[in-house]
């Protein structure tokens, strides 16, 4: 939904004046809480989104062998930064169109001690030859189906054979129809579970193991 200034959380340059804040992210498997800077004009600025929380609790568990992973639509960085903490040898690409969100992710990654391994970029700055072991995303469903499908058609083919993507999507925003579309596109998709109206979708690389 657009805010009072006509902004969306996916505006490239939000017009909303600064309203800096912080959210605390406690993950039982990590030492110490993450204190993440947020601001007006970015997604879920006052609290970790419930879908993101579900993904972090259940789905965002990088295996020991991953070296290159991505968070598509990183916002202020909760998934990218938690993933970098959980996979201490991995490079994490944190991608967003919202410049304010990207600045926050950069600052949050630096403060969390993972700034050297979190590459914070716009989609245009992603190298063409980037390949990924895994990707996580609370994707921007409010951009509309066509844009979301384009985004997934861009990112899923970057997975290595045997790689996987993990998406959290609200049921009332089309999680089940997205799962059907993914299957129709040839991606093996599993509905891993639901929590408080969100579905977690696991997608295997269509290139197989
Ligand atoms: C649902 S929010 C999730 C934000 C963050 N990962 C979180 O969990 O708090 C989706 C994000 O996708 C971003 N986005 C929109 N279009 C995008 C695109 N084409 N490529 C990458 N990110 C995009 C939005 O700006 C927004 O920050």
């Amino acid at each position: 939904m657009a805010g009072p200034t006509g902004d969306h959380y996916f505006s490239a340059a939000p017009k909303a004046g600064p309203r800096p804040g912080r959210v605390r992210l406690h993950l039982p498997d990590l030492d110490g809480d993450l204190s993440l800077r947020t601001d007006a004009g970015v997604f879920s600025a006052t609290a970790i989104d419930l879908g993101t929380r579900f993904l972090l609790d259940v789905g965002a568990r990088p295996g020991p062998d991953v070296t290159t992973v991505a968070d598509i639509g990183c916002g202020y960085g909760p998934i990218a930064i938690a993933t970098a903490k959980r996979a201490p040898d991995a490079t994490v690409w944190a991608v967003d169109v919202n410049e304010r969100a990207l600045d926050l992710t950069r600052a949050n990654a630096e403060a969390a001690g993972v700034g050297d391994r979190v590459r914070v970029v716009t989609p245009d700055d992603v190298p063409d030859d980037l390949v990924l072991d895994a990707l996580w995303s609370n994707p921007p469903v409010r951009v509309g189906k066509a844009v979301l499908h384009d985004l997934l058609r861009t990112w899923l083919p970057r997975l290595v054979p045997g790689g996987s993507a993990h998406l959290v999507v609200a049921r009332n925003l089309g999680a089940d129809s997205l799962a059907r579309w993914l299957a129709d596109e040839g991606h093996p998709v599993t509905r891993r579970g639901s929590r408080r109206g969100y579905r977690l979708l696991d997608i295997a690389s269509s290139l197989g193991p």
Side-chain angles (χ1 to χ4, degrees), residues 164-168 175-176 178-180 182-183 187-194 199-204:
S164 57
H166 309 274
L167 309 182
V168 69
D176 293 335
L178 183 65
R180 282 191 295 276
L182 286 162
H187 298 286
V189 55
T190 310
R191 293 180 179 89
R192 181 144 33 128
S194 302
R199 281 226 198 274
L200 177 57
L201 306 178
D202 290 337
I203 300 142

Side-chain angles (χ1 to χ4, degrees), residues 9-10 43 52 73-75 78-79 95-98 123 138-140 143 151:
Y9 66 73
F10 48 86
F43 176 76
T52 298
C74 62
I79 299 167
V95 185
D96 210 292
V97 292
N98 179 328
N138 179 347
V143 294
L151 179 144

Side-chain angles (χ1 to χ4, degrees), residues 1 7 23 72 76 82-83 87 92 94 101 120 125 135 138 144 147 162 167-168 171 173 187 189 195 208:
M1 249 192 307
D7 269 357
V23 299
I72 311 307
Y76 54 85
T83 303
V92 180
V120 184
D125 291 331
L135 73 82
N138 179 347
V147 177
L167 309 182
V168 69
R171 250 186 328 218
L173 293 179
H187 298 286
V189 55
R195 186 201 278 179

Side-chain angles (χ1 to χ4, degrees), residues 33-59:
D33 293 356
L34 295 171
S35 171
L36 302 173
R37 288 177 48 193
T38 68
D39 208 336
V42 304
F43 176 76
S44 204
T46 54
I48 297 289
D49 173 65
L50 289 177
T52 298
R53 183 77 231 188
F54 183 29
L55 187 60
L56 288 169
D57 287 346
V58 180

